[in-house]
Amino acid sequence: MTLHLSPEVQKKVREAFDADFYLAANKDVREAGIDPFLHFLTYGAEEGRDPRPDFSMKRYLALHLDVGEAGMDPFVHWVTDGRAEGRATDHGLGYQYEVLWAEKPLEERMRSMRLALPDRAPDPPERLNDALGAVGQRHGFHVTVSHDDFGSGVGGVQLCIRLEAEAQRRKDLTHIHLFPSATAVVVDIERERPTLGVVVDGVFAGHHAHDTVAAILAPVMAGQANVFAIHSLIGHAAEPLSGLLARLGMTSGFFWLHDYASLCAGYALMRDDVAFCGAPSPDSTACEVCSYGRRRRVQLPTHVELFQRFALTAVAPSQVALSLWRSRFPVRAAAEVVHPHARLEPRADQPAPKVSARKRPLRIGFLGMPALHKGWPIFADLVARFGRDSRYEFHHLSAVREPRVVARFTKVVPTPAAPQPMIPAIEKLDLDVALIWSLWPETFCIAAHEAAAAGAAVLTGPASGNVAAFVAGDASRGTVLGSEAALFDLFASGAVGGLSRVNRKPILSDLIFSGMVADLTAEAAA
Amino acid sequence: MRVLVFSSFTFAYLDRARVLFGTLKKHHPDWERVAVITDRPPPGIAFDPSAEPFDRIVWFEDLNIPRGEGWLFGHDIVEACTAVKGPFLHQACEADAADIVIYLDPDTALLNDLSPLVEALQSHDGLLTPHLLEPEDELQALLDNELATLRTGIFNLGFVAIRTTGQGARFARWWNDRLLAFCHDDIPQGLFVDQRWCDHVPAFFDRFHVLRDPGYNVASWNLSKRKVAIGQDGQITVNGSPLRFWHFTKLGPTGDTMTRRYAGTNFEVHEIWNWYKRLIAEAHDPRIPPRWWAFGTFDDGMPIRKDWRVLYRGRADLQAAFPDPFRTGPNTYHAWLQGEGLLTPPTSVA
């Protein structure tokens, strides 16, 4: 329904409308080449699309029930009346409230995903046979399990699997990767006919039933030196997957603690996505209230059964992750090992320290996806408070832009040609500080290592797990602050300027990745 | 110790009652759970009590209130559902149905066990929770909470617990008598359903105890003075005491507004509300029409105006002439209203 406005009102609304934001937030409008304001008047307002970064249509209606009751468009009301009346556009109750207010229940999210991704018909088994045939004879197999097709993802787990597969390939092992055909956010218990996507040495070999995969792989793998590593069980139907591994003759393997999905359906241990919970007893009142609590009572026992069925070595990328996991997981792993994903190695050629000809603002960056558990709301708050302060310049380096936060955006996406683009991007922007204010206990945090490698100081909080441990272990890497209040004080006072490159004269490093599980398995016999 | 817990509601609140009784069943599977229902199932709904989380149902008719439906006609839905609490409590004492009887509003829910109440009733005959435990500091809060409770009652009768003997039984008889005659929403006359009566309790019944633990009956009206914390040990506390039960009053935009106002940045409050809303969504039966009440209309479906109820309850002659006031047709209260020119369509019903 088109908004019909008098020319005078339309002029006011247009002046308050942010066309750049609207285009950035609405890909369809951008691609269609429609005038953004016209789109807003014709469709956007009716569809509840926001007209500017600091105005939420839905929130304004929730705050001012009379506006909805009067049948008025919220933005037009704000422009013509609400603004002058001093009406709030923000709840003013902090990011936690905003998350809880907008919460879509987990079960509803899962239902939507199941509807969007129904059970699929398996591909012809020949596809898997052909892919195996193309590999030829090798010394054995390295089977990995995770939540997605690692080749098409850009995250840390995907990178680890790729590096692990490459290292195992050098040991003459064929890589078989198994992922759930349908993406999910928790361990699957609903699908009647779950299937697995199978990747053989980097080549997608179709979607197949667990029985089909077992029937084809078992004879090929028999008598070989085989290894398996579970990077994530999310999305998997655990029982058929365990059965498959058993039919492949597997009795022992590795289980990665990239996150805490083995402890809870909320893999970051963020209760209701707003606060680190500490993984208390699943029978606790906190878990009763939490939106992940009910699924936790499925997901935790599922992982326990896996550890009981196989002799699993828990591989943690940091001591922080292992200590937390060990203190909360109900059964002991067959073995435990801390094996960092990567280490810093100072570069042989250090660039000459820059001598700033003139004083420039301190450059502060947020690295990666604008996710809450990564501390995005803290960064957004910092930008809101200090974005116009001439002492500071805020940057967001990521594959995805969040137009509601007015920071300078640099698109950073790994490609096969440049699989590690973050380090050169930080150096190119000459970032002084990376704000890595993770709200969950990070198990490793590649971003923090990338920041340090590129010479940016890491600014983090006390609850950030391995980020705090990484920084606390070497003062040249940055600062661990005690609270958000301390962070804002640091910016208000200007003391954060002490972290500029000019002051710190950082040593640049290369980030040397490990071979992951390949480093932990015996060398293949020649 | 035999403990009976009851709640009073209509089918419009069945979802809330299911949530309450579900949480009671979880924390106290051995307590008897009784649903007092002043309603009839909506047409076409096959109501199966055996599938519900309560042990038994007491229908309005089972209470054998003198004049039955004539008495009921004199009450709107809130008055009726609160008035029947008195007869049920009194009859439970008379029948020795339990050693302890606890009433909880259908829009409450347990987040912890209530066993300290049983302990407290070893040394007291009854327990009440005040709306407020501390004075307010802000004018808005004073208006919303302190002044409002001066009008509606110091104690929130979404909760009361008694021994079925001694002063507990005496209280139940007294409350029964008052509610049968004066359970009216008539603030100018000093009445607010079952609640204002209980302002007398500390004076009348010295073995009643005012429960001052902030973990009980937490609601939007007392949140300004209660800080909710969810610890990494998994415990939820209110001002340091374990959270026992919450009163989820006014589910919807109005309740949200009050909760936002008084919870402020205490986001844990909203986590608890989100939990409750999820449970309600699961317990909700969309086949029950919104605001359904079998006693909200005459038998021809015409909604009953509150002033017709007030007129009827105040006139013994009308009660005598029309003992079945819900009926329509010749020689009925409905026909009398029509004859008097009073039968205009309601703008609001109750």
Side-chain angles (χ1 to χ4, degrees):
Chain A
M1 189 182 71
T2 305
L3 277 180
H4 294 289
L5 308 172
S6 70
E8 188 193 348
V9 170
Q10 183 159 324
K11 183 169 176 288
K12 282 186 183 172
V13 174
R14 182 188 280 276
E15 282 166 5
F17 180 81
D18 186 333
D20 290 341
F21 162 77
Y22 197 78
L23 287 172
N26 297 287
K27 190 179 169 207
D28 56 336
V29 181
R30 197 165 66 235
E31 288 176 350
I34 309 170
D35 172 68
F37 185 63
L38 191 64
H39 181 275
F40 176 73
L41 289 183
T42 315
Y43 310 106
E46 174 78 6
E47 292 164 1
R49 302 198 196 200
D50 295 336
R52 48 190 281 162
D54 56 357
F55 189 93
S56 157
M57 304 278 275
K58 192 179 162 203
R59 191 185 295 128
Y60 193 77
L61 286 175
L63 279 165
H64 310 292
L65 301 178
D66 59 321
V67 176
E69 284 161 9
M72 285 200 71
D73 175 79
F75 189 54
V76 173
H77 180 274
W78 180 70
V79 170
T80 56
D81 301 288
R83 193 163 41 174
E85 293 167 8
R87 294 215 189 196
T89 55
D90 191 308
H91 289 116
L93 300 177
Y95 66 84
Q96 294 96 339
Y97 177 74
E98 294 299 335
V99 170
L100 293 166
W101 176 70
E103 183 197 74
K104 193 171 176 188
L106 177 64
E107 299 301 322
E108 204 178 301
R109 275 190 280 153
M110 289 174 50
R111 252 194 314 278
S112 307
M113 291 178 90
R114 281 200 300 279
L115 286 173
L117 301 165
D119 287 347
R120 61 186 303 148
D123 290 320
E126 295 75 38
R127 194 164 172 191
L128 178 54
N129 271 320
D130 292 349
L132 285 167
V135 169
Q137 190 63 35
R138 295 253 185 80
H139 186 72
F141 289 82
H142 178 62
V143 179
T144 56
V145 175
S146 86
H147 62 296
D148 70 357
D149 178 1
F150 70 100
S152 58
V154 296
V157 175
Q158 292 86 345
L159 174 66
C160 288
I161 295 172
R162 185 171 64 74
L163 294 170
E164 186 172 282
E166 284 172 8
Q168 293 288 52
R169 176 75 183 82
R170 289 192 288 275
K171 292 176 155 189
D172 200 33
L173 297 183
T174 298
H175 179 219
I176 306 282
H177 182 65
L178 307 174
F179 64 94
S181 299
T183 311
V185 289
V186 293
V187 164
D188 177 64
I189 49 168
E190 273 98 0
R191 286 191 183 271
E192 291 176 9
R193 290 176 289 113
T195 53
L196 290 170
V198 185
V199 179
V200 179
D201 265 357
V203 178
F204 179 62
H207 296 281
H208 305 282
H210 293 72
D211 281 346
T212 309
V213 178
I216 293 173
L217 285 181
V220 184
M221 290 173 65
Q224 303 251 39
N226 303 320
V227 180
F228 81 89
I230 296 174
H231 289 259
S232 174
L233 264 195
I234 289 176
H236 284 278
E239 180 48 41
L241 180 72
S242 288
L244 162 60
L245 293 172
R247 282 177 66 184
L248 298 182
M250 302 289 196
T251 54
S252 64
F254 297 91
F255 186 92
W256 272 100
L257 303 177
H258 292 300
D259 53 38
Y260 305 101
S262 48
L263 294 176
C264 182
Y267 68 86
L269 300 182
M270 293 284 288
R271 194 191 61 248
D272 283 319
D273 292 326
V274 291
F276 173 59
C277 68
S281 160
D283 298 323
S284 66
T285 321
C287 288
E288 164 79 30
V289 164
C290 174
S291 55
Y292 293 108
R294 205 178 282 182
R295 287 279 165 172
R296 186 181 185 205
R297 289 192 279 276
V298 174
Q299 192 143 314
L300 177 59
T302 297
H303 283 84
V304 168
E305 283 166 23
L306 196 72
F307 274 79
Q308 288 169 335
R309 186 163 186 176
F310 301 98
L312 292 176
T313 297
V315 190
S318 67
Q319 185 60 49
V320 171
L322 182 60
S323 299
L324 173 58
W325 181 82
R326 186 200 288 142
S327 68
R328 298 293 188 275
F329 198 62
V331 296
R332 292 270 75 84
E336 296 169 345
V337 60
V338 172
H339 189 48
H341 294 327
R343 62 185 165 78
L344 295 173
E345 193 168 288
R347 294 177 209 169
D349 295 330
Q350 293 291 328
K354 287 186 182 171
V355 180
S356 59
R358 60 186 176 82
K359 198 167 161 53
R360 65 160 176 79
L362 190 78
R363 292 183 183 141
I364 303 104
F366 183 94
L367 314 180
M369 301 297 274
L372 182 136
H373 67 292
K374 295 284 183 183
W376 178 256
I378 316 303
F379 180 70
D381 202 2
L382 211 52
V383 175
R385 293 201 206 183
F386 299 102
R388 294 201 176 108
D389 189 322
S390 61
R391 293 174 294 176
Y392 307 120
E393 190 178 287
F394 292 94
H395 292 259
H396 180 206
L397 292 72
S398 169
V400 176
R401 182 183 175 198
E402 170 47 89
R404 282 174 182 75
V405 174
V406 191
R408 294 167 195 234
F409 179 71
T410 302
K411 188 159 188 161
V412 179
V413 186
T415 61
Q420 289 296 304
M422 191 58 87
I423 295 173
I426 295 169
E427 288 180 39
K428 190 173 174 196
L429 289 170
D430 210 22
L431 281 190
D432 298 289
V433 174
L435 183 78
I436 305 185
W437 200 275
S438 300
L439 301 172
W440 72 303
E442 294 271 6
T443 58
F444 184 70
C445 194
I446 291 172
H449 287 73
E450 289 171 328
V458 174
L459 200 49
T460 191
S464 59
N466 194 48
V467 182
F470 171 72
V471 173
D474 182 344
S476 71
R477 290 171 182 166
T479 303
V480 185
L481 295 170
S483 66
E484 284 172 38
L487 175 69
F488 292 111
D489 287 349
L490 200 69
F491 276 79
S493 69
V496 69
L499 294 175
S500 71
R501 282 178 185 262
V502 172
N503 281 337
R504 287 183 300 113
K505 301 178 181 59
I507 293 171
L508 304 187
S509 301
D510 290 321
L511 194 56
I512 310 296
F513 281 88
S514 78
M516 312 293 154
V517 153
D519 301 337
L520 308 174
T521 54
E523 289 300 316
Chain B
M1 192 67 74
R2 296 168 302 154
V3 181
L4 183 159
V5 186
F6 77 106
S7 193
S8 170
F9 56 94
T10 65
F11 278 93
Y13 262 46
L14 180 61
D15 49 7
R16 289 157 175 85
R18 283 173 171 163
V19 172
L20 164 64
F21 283 114
T23 60
L24 271 164
K25 192 174 181 176
K26 177 186 170 181
H27 290 284
H28 295 286
D30 53 331
W31 289 4
E32 188 186 13
R33 300 176 299 276
V34 180
V36 177
I37 303 181
T38 307
D39 203 354
R40 290 176 185 139
I45 302 280
F47 179 59
D48 175 11
S50 68
E52 300 295 338
F54 25 85
D55 300 312
R56 67 183 165 100
I57 296 174
V58 172
W59 299 97
F60 166 74
E61 292 81 357
D62 300 331
L63 294 170
N64 295 313
I65 293 173
R67 294 199 297 110
E69 290 195 0
W71 175 87
L72 182 59
F73 188 91
H75 298 80
D76 67 23
I77 188 167
V78 176
E79 291 170 340
C81 284
T82 45
V84 296
K85 289 155 66 176
F88 179 82
L89 195 65
H90 172 51
Q91 291 172 26
C93 293
E94 292 287 295
D96 189 28
D99 301 310
I100 287 172
V101 178
I102 299 171
Y103 173 78
L104 283 165
D105 263 355
D107 55 356
T108 58
L110 273 61
L111 288 112
N112 215 323
D113 79 273
L114 299 182
S115 11
L117 296 179
V118 177
E119 284 164 40
L121 287 170
Q122 304 307 308
S123 48
H124 303 283
D125 282 359
L127 304 169
L128 286 173
T129 46
H131 283 101
L132 309 175
L133 287 168
E134 293 176 59
E136 297 287 2
D137 299 319
E138 308 289 335
L139 177 62
Q140 181 70 54
L142 186 155
L143 296 173
D144 283 344
N145 303 327
E146 275 191 48
L147 262 178
T149 52
L150 284 181
R151 290 190 293 271
T152 59
I154 295 302
F155 301 101
N156 178 260
L157 266 293
F159 164 81
V160 59
I162 61 160
R163 297 287 301 234
T164 53
T165 53
Q167 286 194 0
R170 277 179 50 204
F171 163 81
R173 174 183 290 279
W174 167 79
W175 207 35
N176 167 71
D177 294 349
R178 295 297 171 271
L179 298 190
L180 285 179
F182 298 106
C183 187
H184 301 152
D185 179 356
D186 189 358
I187 286 174
Q189 291 299 315
L191 293 176
F192 184 68
V193 290
D194 59 338
Q195 237 169 227
R196 278 300 302 276
W197 289 109
C198 288
D199 287 2
H200 284 304
V201 167
F204 291 176
F205 304 101
D206 64 354
R207 289 189 54 78
F208 265 58
H209 175 65
V210 175
L211 200 59
R212 305 185 64 86
D213 185 324
Y216 292 85
N217 214 347
V218 186
S220 57
W221 55 72
N222 53 39
L223 271 178
S224 68
K225 293 291 178 185
R226 299 192 192 189
K227 167 80 178 164
V228 177
I230 305 181
Q232 292 189 11
D233 60 357
Q235 284 295 311
I236 305 185
T237 55
V238 185
N239 293 356
S241 298
L243 169 60
R244 300 287 173 182
F245 76 89
W246 198 283
H247 199 150
F248 295 93
T249 195
K250 293 190 174 66
L251 173 68
T254 310
D256 289 348
T257 301
M258 294 308 270
T259 304
R260 272 201 300 267
R261 182 179 294 169
Y262 290 112
T265 56
N266 190 179
F267 62 84
E268 291 85 350
V269 170
H270 304 290
E271 292 187 64
I272 292 167
W273 262 102
N274 279 7
W275 165 75
Y276 186 68
K277 288 174 181 174
R278 289 195 302 270
L279 292 185
I280 290 292
E282 286 173 11
H284 184 66
D285 184 344
R287 297 171 307 165
I288 297 174
R291 292 181 289 282
W292 165 261
W293 189 33
F295 301 108
T297 63
F298 289 105
D299 64 10
D300 67 349
M302 182 184 194
I304 300 167
R305 267 178 25 186
K306 177 71 183 282
D307 58 328
W308 301 338
R309 294 184 186 277
V310 172
L311 180 66
Y312 182 83
R313 79 183 177 208
R315 292 266 302 265
D317 58 333
L318 292 175
Q319 294 164 16
F322 310 112
D324 188 1
F326 289 99
R327 276 186 47 227
T328 55
N331 299 317
T332 60
Y333 180 54
H334 179 271
W336 181 85
L337 286 169
Q338 199 161 26
E340 295 294 313
L342 297 171
L343 203 64
T344 51
T347 49
S348 68
V349 295

